[in-house]
Amino acid sequence: MNRRFLKLLFIISWIPFIWPLLMWTFEIFMNISSWGFVEFVVLYSFVYWPTYLAGLFLMIVTVFLIKKK
């Protein structure tokens, strides 16, 4: 595989971990909810925990393939 493609996959694997921060920021600026950051992340994580597993799996596989090359 192309090394640039593997780096792109590694960056994509961080999206599930950054997405709650972006969603909370959007909700605060749009005045949709009054939840604090920790409350929002706990509720988001309770519902979308499989996305964290997918991101972690993709991260591990990508690091393994980069080290293999």
Side-chain angles (χ1 to χ4, degrees), residues 3-68:
R3 193 161 181 87
R4 192 189 290 173
F5 176 70
L6 291 175
K7 287 182 181 180
L8 179 65
L9 278 180
F10 185 73
I11 292 170
I12 290 172
S13 69
W14 279 94
I15 290 175
F17 302 103
I18 297 171
W19 189 252
L21 176 65
L22 296 174
M23 288 296 296
W24 176 75
T25 306
F26 175 74
E27 288 191 9
I28 292 299
F29 285 125
M30 296 298 292
N31 291 327
I32 296 174
S33 70
S34 61
W35 291 347
F37 178 68
V38 174
E39 295 151 340
F40 181 81
V41 170
V42 167
L43 289 172
Y44 180 89
S45 298
F46 184 75
V47 174
Y48 295 110
W49 62 269
T51 61
Y52 294 140
L53 293 179
L56 184 63
F57 177 74
L58 185 60
M59 197 179 301
I60 291 170
V61 168
T62 306
V63 167
F64 177 75
L65 290 175
I66 288 174
K67 295 283 184 184
K68 188 177 175 183

